[in-house]
Amino acid sequence: MSVAIGPRPEPVHTVAVYAFAGMAPFELGVVVEVFGLARPEVSGLLAVPWYGVVVCADEPGVPLDAVGGFSLTARHGLDELAAADTVIVPGVPDASGGAVPPGLVAALRTAHRRGARIVSICSGAFALAAAGLLDGLEATTHWRYADLLQQRHPRVRVNPDVLYVDNGSVLTSAGSAAGIDLCLHLVRRDHGARVANTVARRFVVPPHRDGGQAQFIEAAVKPVEEEDDGIGRSMRWALDHLAEPLSVPLLARRARMSERSYLRHFTARNGTSPMRWVVTQRIAASLPLLESPDGTVEEIAAAVGFDSAATFRHHFGRVVRTSPTAYRRTFGRTVA
């Protein structure tokens, strides 16, 4: 007697998220919302199945008090977390003074050795650092924890001025809302730009912020409209003239300031130099052009103010950590 066996179903990519007593529920909710919600709106766009989510805790089945006066119970333990395809740590119990739970550290190391993707949101970076997964890498966390993370883990290159950092198999994001950016970035990596944009629309958030959903997002500055001083005026003018030659002397004149004073005040306000900010804004302006099928890389470089395609590629690689052509291949929209 023979039995016909059909094709085996495609395995579901499991996302495990860590829960703990005293946690703020927002970051946990972001992970569950992005990866755990049924999404019929993308079913026709997926080449592989959507994610499966498991919420894991040090002691499964034990109620965990959360900020806001309620409790939740995780059904899964750290063994399931260590076995997941993507592991997300949305925070740690006490970033300021407490040690990271040793069971979590061990589970993260096990998952990383297996080849899992390890992700942190906000203070969750302390757990990844405690496990040694950030040694020698650039990472970020909430700005209020950045100095402490650097002091406690000097082998980590902490960058407090970015929304998230993608090191391939290890990713970190800044405070709460930056977790949305990073989770959407993961969806874009796994399923492409069209699916990520669809999820963002249901989330009622932009699909990318501050230069687009890139592998590495440069410093997010305060909105230019917030201040009407000389610095703000020069920045608004620069954004309207990105395709033209820009320089510190020109921007300083627009601000009606000396070059030395302009440099000092600009850097103090934005955490970066004027020309580095200009380059970042030009890269940001290039992303929607690259996502469109129109225009060559050379034409896009000129349209956003780079003097050559080679210069554009150099700065694009530094900021986005990929080439313009590779970005277009991954995130570009095709004409229906």
Side-chain angles (χ1 to χ4, degrees), residues 92-101 123 125-127 129-132 135 144-156 158:
V92 293
D94 185 4
S96 297
V100 176
S123 66
F126 285 84
D135 287 354
R144 67 178 294 196
Y145 298 132
D147 289 343
L148 180 61
L149 181 64
Q150 188 67 82
Q151 293 166 12
R152 197 174 291 174
H153 300 281
R155 297 183 64 185
V156 180
V158 180

Side-chain angles (χ1 to χ4, degrees), residues 87-325:
V87 176
I88 301 181
V89 184
V92 293
D94 185 4
S96 297
V100 176
L104 175 60
V105 170
L108 290 174
R109 288 172 176 166
T110 299
H112 187 255
R113 284 195 298 268
R114 286 182 40 255
R117 183 167 58 188
I118 313 296
V119 180
S120 69
I121 300 173
C122 196
S123 66
F126 285 84
L128 276 58
L133 306 187
L134 299 180
D135 287 354
L137 299 178
E138 190 153 18
T140 194
T141 185
H142 192 289
W143 58 265
R144 67 178 294 196
Y145 298 132
D147 289 343
L148 180 61
L149 181 64
Q150 188 67 82
Q151 293 166 12
R152 197 174 291 174
H153 300 281
R155 297 183 64 185
V156 180
R157 302 197 309 274
V158 180
N159 186 341
D161 299 320
V162 296
L163 291 177
Y164 60 82
V165 178
D166 182 343
N167 288 296
S169 63
V170 180
L171 304 91
T172 55
S173 72
S176 302
I180 300 176
D181 296 282
L182 182 50
C183 287
L184 288 174
H185 171 65
L186 295 175
V187 172
R188 175 169 263 182
R189 266 184 45 172
D190 295 342
H191 297 286
R194 189 175 177 188
V195 172
N197 292 350
T198 301
V199 174
R201 281 197 298 272
R202 183 162 175 181
F203 233 101
V204 197
V205 297
H208 52 75
R209 293 191 297 155
D210 295 297
Q213 192 138 263
Q215 285 85 349
F216 186 98
I217 298 184
E218 282 285 358
V221 299
K222 292 190 294 184
V224 175
E225 294 79 12
E226 283 189 8
E227 297 181 20
D228 192 31
D229 58 1
I231 299 294
R233 287 193 300 273
S234 71
M235 292 170 71
R236 286 195 297 274
W237 183 86
L239 290 174
D240 290 334
H241 296 82
L242 286 176
E244 303 173 15
L246 298 176
S247 64
V248 172
L250 177 59
L251 294 176
R253 287 198 299 272
R254 284 284 165 179
R256 298 179 182 176
M257 300 169 67
S258 69
E259 292 180 32
R260 178 178 296 182
S261 180
Y262 184 79
L263 280 167
R264 183 174 70 253
H265 286 285
F266 189 102
T267 303
R269 172 178 168 168
N270 298 305
T272 189
S273 69
M275 296 315 298
R276 189 178 180 91
W277 176 83
V278 166
V279 167
T280 300
Q281 302 311 309
R282 284 173 166 162
I283 295 297
S286 77
L287 296 180
L289 300 179
L290 289 169
E291 292 173 9
S292 165
D294 301 324
T296 66
V297 170
E298 289 74 14
E299 290 169 340
I300 292 171
V304 297
F306 288 102
D307 56 10
S308 70
T311 302
F312 175 46
R313 291 187 180 98
H314 167 75
H315 288 296
F316 196 95
R318 178 183 61 81
V319 173
V320 188
R321 301 294 174 90
T322 190
S323 69
T325 301

Side-chain angles (χ1 to χ4, degrees), residues 56-70:
C56 305
D58 297 281
E59 298 181 68
V62 176
L64 304 170
D65 291 334
V67 174
F70 67 96

